[in-house]
Amino acid sequence: MDQSIITYLTENREKHLAELKDFLAIPSISSLPEHKEDVQKAANWVATALEQIGMENIKVHPTKGHPVVYGEWLKAEGKPTVLIYAHYDVQPVDPLHLWESPPFEADIRDEKLYARGASDDKGQGFMHVKALQAILETTGTLPINVKFLIEGEEEIGSPNLPAFVEENKELLSSDIIVISDTSMMERGKPTICYGLRGLCGVQIDVKGPKGDLHSGLYGGAVQNPIHALVEIVNSFHNKNGQITVEGFYDQVAELTPAEKEAYLALGIKDESFINQLGVTEMFGEDGYTTLERTWVRPTLEVNGIYGGFQGEGIKTVLPSEAHAKITCRLVPDQDPDTIVELLQAHIKAHTPSGVTVEVSLFDKGAPFVTPFDHPAIQAAGRAYEKVYNVPTSFTRGGGSIPIVATFDQILEKPVVLMGFGLPDENFHAPNEHFHLENFDKGMETLCHYWFELEDSL
């Protein structure tokens, strides 16, 4: 890669930061109706930014909610095509009083850029635009073909993006998909997340008598819905931390020996988790390390349970109903719909007499994985290493980004998650910020990546 590209980034750093501050000043909060015009303004800002760097066929596509911005540059004949995804919407800012500077007035302190969206995801998406501009301005061309897909509903679950992707498969066709909306493991330690767990969630509603009963008059003679719910919940696991729902593990893809070695090489011990979390010891499915349990094994967790009297003191009531919220993190090749069916069958089989139970679905998303030995993943690792001068870590994420699985399922192309955020940057919380060290190194890394990809695919 020509050194003039890095020189360009260095010489234009302050200009780029000023432009990013303008972008961050737009309160594009997708979840609040009063900010609908701001979200549209942010979409228009993105479209203008793409036009200014030389992208073509730019369009702000309306959806049933907030718009999707598309742009492309397809002049590298015979070279790979990359679809770059990002989002321009942000989370709400409350509680406002905890911000040390106004959330939409970007402020630089200690080489960190403070503003809502600085890390998630305006800052990281902006880096892609400027990295490509640096290459175009200095060389007059790009080593790869580029398509941008930048949406405004990621923070509310991307409800309209799957339909847009399905309807525009040809427009969005590419060789790989690149997303910068994840974090590195720690400062100075580049990380590529090549897999995410899926999700399915259900609510369990247990109903007994038609109304709350006096426990002195009816206790011992009527099934207590809370007792029944506890019995159901207790049936989900055995004492070894294994999930006992019949068929739950049937489709789980096992960890490869190479992946297992890569995780061990990270050198992360249970003591670090224990100290970080403030627990006495780690717990989970027998036969797996903590990293394996959180990255590549499925889970079934009770996220909330409630029923009966919740106030101070005591009220001798036998409640008429009890409820629990359950989520499962899923791994390849588990199907969320199948898991929900298995849960429903298990709950039905373990429902005590004297109560009725309803199970309702409230969330789901498929798991995703791109083999970490894929050429596009390995090329990303080499690009990181050229800039950070340390080996790249290859990890999976325990959480879920449903739109990633949507891309995987509909477009059927490898997804490369090249994140430049850090875990402590308060995304979704007050004082969100982005380390400018990664702003600088991140753009340089992206520039190297496009040249690495030129000969890798």
Side-chain angles (χ1 to χ4, degrees):
M1 186 179 75
D2 197 306
Q3 180 60 34
S4 64
I5 297 171
I6 308 305
T7 301
Y8 176 93
L9 289 172
T10 301
E11 292 177 347
N12 287 275
R13 183 181 193 256
E14 295 308 312
K15 178 183 177 183
H16 293 163
L17 285 174
E19 292 175 1
L20 178 53
K21 287 181 177 181
D22 288 341
F23 189 22
L24 294 169
I26 305 172
S28 49
I29 304 172
S30 54
S31 62
L32 300 179
E34 59 265 34
H35 286 283
K36 183 177 181 179
E37 291 185 5
D38 294 314
V39 178
Q40 180 68 53
K41 182 179 179 181
N44 295 338
W45 193 99
V46 170
T48 300
L50 294 179
E51 181 181 10
Q52 288 174 344
I53 71 164
M55 296 296 108
E56 300 174 344
N57 194 23
I58 299 163
K59 185 175 180 181
V60 179
H61 293 266
T63 72
K64 292 181 180 178
H66 301 304
V68 171
V69 183
Y70 176 85
E72 65 185 25
W73 189 95
L74 305 176
K75 299 178 182 179
E77 187 175 349
K79 300 298 183 180
T81 298
V82 179
L83 176 65
I84 299 171
Y85 165 86
H87 65 91
Y88 61 83
D89 65 318
V90 299
Q91 283 277 330
V93 298
D94 51 307
L96 186 59
H97 71 277
L98 294 180
W99 285 82
E100 295 178 13
S101 55
F104 296 110
E105 296 178 18
D107 184 41
I108 295 177
R109 304 191 297 274
D110 300 322
E111 278 300 288
K112 301 171 188 176
L113 180 65
Y114 286 82
R116 173 58 87 227
S119 180
D120 181 23
D121 178 48
K122 286 180 176 179
Q124 297 199 59
F126 178 84
M127 289 163 58
H128 277 280
V129 176
K130 293 301 154 181
L132 291 172
Q133 182 182 25
I135 300 174
L136 279 168
E137 291 282 348
T138 54
T139 70
T141 188
L142 294 176
I144 40 92
N145 297 293
V146 176
K147 296 180 178 181
F148 276 98
L149 175 64
I150 306 179
E151 70 152 324
E153 295 187 327
E154 194 274 344
E155 299 293 5
I156 55 174
S158 303
N160 293 295
L161 194 58
F164 179 86
V165 174
E166 186 69 54
E167 293 166 4
N168 293 277
K169 284 194 286 188
E170 185 174 348
L171 178 69
L172 302 175
S173 64
S174 65
D175 294 295
I176 66 166
I177 302 162
V178 176
I179 302 174
S180 296
D181 193 16
T182 52
S183 298
M184 301 179 358
M185 289 188 66
E186 59 186 56
R187 184 177 180 182
K189 195 164 187 177
T191 307
I192 295 174
C193 178
Y194 66 93
L196 297 165
R197 292 194 288 191
L199 175 73
C200 73
V202 300
Q203 178 162 317
I204 305 172
D205 299 307
V206 180
K207 297 185 179 179
K210 62 182 180 181
D212 290 354
L213 302 177
H214 190 294
S215 64
L217 296 177
Y218 296 101
V222 175
Q223 177 67 270
N224 186 318
I226 293 180
H227 296 179
L229 179 58
V230 169
E231 186 173 335
I232 293 170
V233 168
N234 195 48
S235 73
F236 287 139
H237 298 85
N238 63 24
K239 64 179 182 179
N240 298 318
Q242 297 158 331
I243 297 167
T244 54
V245 175
E246 186 174 355
F248 190 87
Y249 293 111
D250 285 357
Q251 303 304 315
V252 172
E254 293 296 328
L255 193 65
T256 68
E259 288 176 298
K260 204 173 185 71
E261 289 179 13
Y263 298 166
L264 289 173
L266 295 175
I268 299 177
K269 306 296 185 182
D270 273 2
E271 286 75 14
S272 63
F273 289 104
I274 291 170
N275 294 333
Q276 176 186 349
L277 301 175
V279 296
T280 57
E281 61 183 87
M282 303 304 290
F283 173 79
E285 185 184 2
D286 271 4
Y288 297 92
T289 67
T290 297
L291 284 184
E292 290 168 353
R293 291 169 183 163
T294 56
W295 287 355
V296 300
R297 296 300 294 173
T299 68
L300 191 163
E301 298 288 352
V302 180
N303 304 124
I305 189 165
Y306 54 99
F309 179 63
Q310 304 291 317
E312 291 186 29
I314 191 168
K315 182 181 181 183
T316 54
V317 63
L318 194 160
S320 65
E321 56 186 53
H323 313 271
K325 296 181 185 294
I326 308 291
T327 55
C328 300
R329 297 290 178 171
L330 309 179
V331 300
D333 298 303
Q334 289 180 302
D335 175 64
D337 292 325
T338 300
I339 295 300
V340 170
E341 292 175 3
L342 295 176
L343 286 174
Q344 290 171 326
H346 179 93
I347 292 167
K348 182 178 180 180
H350 289 80
T351 296
S353 59
V355 294
T356 60
V357 175
E358 292 184 4
V359 180
S360 53
L361 174 69
F362 62 83
D363 206 355
K364 67 176 181 178
F368 138 82
V369 67
T370 293
F372 86 104
D373 57 357
H374 189 282
I377 295 283
Q378 292 301 311
R382 293 193 299 272
Y384 272 118
E385 289 169 12
K386 286 182 177 180
V387 179
Y388 286 85
N389 296 312
V390 295
T392 301
S393 298
F394 297 93
T395 71
R396 292 205 208 177
S400 307
I401 306 177
I403 195 57
V404 174
T406 298
F407 287 142
D408 184 45
Q409 293 172 333
I410 298 176
L411 300 179
E412 299 180 328
K413 295 298 179 182
V415 181
V416 182
L417 298 174
M418 292 186 71
F420 298 97
L422 293 178
D424 62 353
E425 289 181 335
N426 289 3
F427 28 82
H428 293 203
N431 299 311
E432 178 181 350
H433 58 278
F434 189 38
H435 284 67
L436 294 183
E437 174 186 16
N438 290 327
F439 177 78
D440 298 328
K441 289 185 175 181
M443 283 193 286
E444 186 175 343
T445 299
L446 290 172
C447 291
H448 279 291
Y449 185 44
W450 305 138
F451 285 96
E452 287 281 345
L453 272 186
E454 181 181 15
D455 301 317
S456 298
L457 296 180

